Amino acid sequence: QSVLTQAPSVSAAPGQKVTISCSGSSSNIGNDYVAWYQQLPGAAPKLLIYDNVKRPSGIPDRFSGSKSGTSATLGITGLQTGDEADYYCGTWDSRLSAAVFGGGTKLTVL
Amino acid sequence: QVHLVESGGGVVQPGRSLRLSCGASGFTFTSHSMHWARQAPGKGLEWVTVISYDGKNKYYADSVKGRFTISRDNSKNTLSLQMNGLTAEDTAVYYCARGGGATTYLDYWGQGTLVTVSS
């Protein structure tokens, strides 16, 4: 049982937009910044979004992040088959004094 | 560019110990916190531990507290994870990752090393 809650899966057609949500509490998302990671099949995770909304160099602006209260959202527009991956949210939990990840959301591009 | 290479994984019997290492290059090692995260086969990511840039502060997931110890050698740009009292639940790919900045995000990850705990 992950501290951060994500839907197990989401799907959409190529070219469409999808949102992936991450729900937490006042001790984690409500108290700190959120990051998002993409894990392609068989690969290591890769940072997509940090500090709620910032994109590292090289990440296309098709990927966006937002946060409101104790929830965060990753948005992906112009879906491509290459976006099929597992997506994880993460932050720091002040009550646990530990970093935490969501359970992950598997994106299928139909 | 940033390069993180884990080593030391393998098959170990329950109750035994194993030490993982992570060699870092391409950045100023002493300026960044460093993390270990893991992923059990077919499961999601689990954060394990973090050590501050100077080695003075360390935090652990409850699942490994008291059994795992993180350390770093800033003179050798090396991160380590000493794992004691291993159980089958510790079977996973272990990733070394760089702390990105003042907030908690992991901006570069190694390719991982597989630890299998089995008799």
Side-chain angles (χ1 to χ4, degrees), chain A residues 32-33 35 37 39 43-47 50-51 88 90-92 96-103, chain B residues 35 37 39 43-47 50 59-62 65 95 103-107 109-112:
Chain A
D32 211 326
Y33 292 91
Y37 306 89
Q39 188 175 31
K46 173 184 175 182
L47 179 67
Y50 68 100
D51 289 356
Y88 297 89
T91 188
W92 183 260
L96 299 173
S97 291
V100 289
F101 290 113
Chain B
H35 299 250
Q39 188 169 35
K43 302 296 185 183
L45 294 175
E46 180 187 13
W47 177 83
V50 62
Y59 299 93
Y60 298 91
D62 285 345
K65 204 171 292 183
Y95 294 102
T103 61
T104 301
Y105 60 93
L106 288 61
D107 62 355
W109 298 62
Q111 283 306 298

Side-chain angles (χ1 to χ4, degrees), chain A residues 16-74:
Chain A
Q16 295 300 302
K17 173 182 177 178
V18 71
T19 58
I20 296 173
S21 297
C22 175
S23 178
S25 69
S26 58
S27 65
N28 42 66
I29 293 178
N31 192 51
D32 211 326
Y33 292 91
V34 175
W36 289 92
Y37 306 89
Q38 176 194 59
Q39 188 175 31
L40 296 170
K46 173 184 175 182
L47 179 67
L48 272 186
I49 299 287
Y50 68 100
D51 289 356
N52 302 333
V53 299
K54 298 177 182 177
R55 281 177 288 106
S57 174
I59 301 300
D61 59 7
R62 299 189 300 108
F63 296 90
S64 64
S66 64
K67 180 186 129 172
S68 178
T70 59
S71 293
T73 302
L74 172 70

